[in-house]
Amino acid sequence: MAMLEVTELGISFGGLRAVDELSIRIEKGGLVGLIGPNGAGKTTVFNMLTGVYRPTDGGIRLDGENLVGRRPHEICKMGVARTFQNIRLFHNLTVLDNVKTGLHNQVTYSLAESLLHVGSYRSKEKQMDERALDILRVFDLDGLADYKAANLPYGRQRKLEIARALATDPKLLLLDEPAAGMNPNETAELMETIGLVRQKFGVTILLIEHDMKLVSGICEYLYVLNFGRLLAEGTPDTVLKNPEVVTAYLGE
């Protein structure tokens, strides 16, 4: 059984067919890319995988469990986390508190304990601080734990968003254009970070990306979308030499 199995997935918005008959299979521990021209439907796929959109038809299974019809917070608890093309941090919170927001699906205390700071509140907050710092160390951000997220350089904000997603303890991590807006040095560092995340957290990764150097450098398998339909799939070396894929990106 695959970690993620998407079967003939489709969604329509009025008369527009945004994604049609898409099938994807990702094994546990895989690092797979979902690529295609702008407007191909890639982020729409992520929105269906995370419950933001409900598919018009088709199926989505994570470790055999159906995701279709579940709400985003339920899917998060089942083990799916994501980042966004446009960074969505809590900019006025500290780096540490941003990561702690991802831990609240695992550590609970009552409203009264939270308001009065009694009972298990202090011990559980301490546990979350320690866990958040452990995650931040992986990204070399622990020394910036007390900084406001808004004050971080762009590349580190990207890392912080990935750290926050990992705090939810996902099985499947969805990265939506993680290299967007990065310079070549930041992109090279990001490639190392993604490899480290996979190794250290044992997470399965599906990423959307336009930077073909990053895609060919870290992905084991690619799916190519064009106008909402699967155009090609295979290893990066095979897919990126496919004439239909080249035409979809560059035109005739």
Side-chain angles (χ1 to χ4, degrees), residues 76 78 98 132 145 158 187 214 230:
C76 178
M78 292 173 70
N98 265 273
R158 282 282 180 197
T187 300
L214 184 148
L230 188 63

Side-chain angles (χ1 to χ4, degrees), residues 113-198:
E113 287 175 323
S114 174
L115 292 173
L116 300 174
H117 292 194
V118 296
S120 64
Y121 172 84
R122 292 184 186 279
S123 64
K124 289 184 177 178
E125 280 291 314
K126 184 179 179 183
Q127 290 173 19
M128 285 196 290
D129 284 344
E130 292 171 351
R131 176 58 180 154
L133 282 170
D134 285 343
I135 294 171
L136 287 172
R137 283 189 193 98
V138 175
F139 296 87
D140 198 26
L141 292 173
D142 53 307
L144 302 172
D146 295 328
Y147 280 59
K148 277 191 176 182
N151 295 335
L152 293 182
Y154 185 84
R156 288 184 171 179
Q157 287 190 24
R158 282 282 180 197
K159 286 185 176 183
L160 178 57
E161 192 178 32
I162 297 173
R164 184 181 61 184
L166 287 168
T168 66
D169 194 26
K171 300 176 183 177
L172 175 66
L173 178 63
L174 308 177
L175 302 177
D176 193 347
E177 294 197 36
M182 287 188 171
N183 62 43
N185 289 336
E186 289 172 331
T187 300
E189 191 175 339
L190 176 67
M191 289 174 66
E192 292 180 8
T193 298
I194 292 173
L196 181 63
V197 163
R198 183 190 185 195

Side-chain angles (χ1 to χ4, degrees), residues 35 37 224 231-232 238-250:
I35 67 171
V224 186
L231 177 65
T238 301
V239 165
L240 297 179
K241 292 177 182 176
N242 184 317
E244 289 184 294
V245 175
V246 174
T247 298
Y249 270 100
L250 302 177

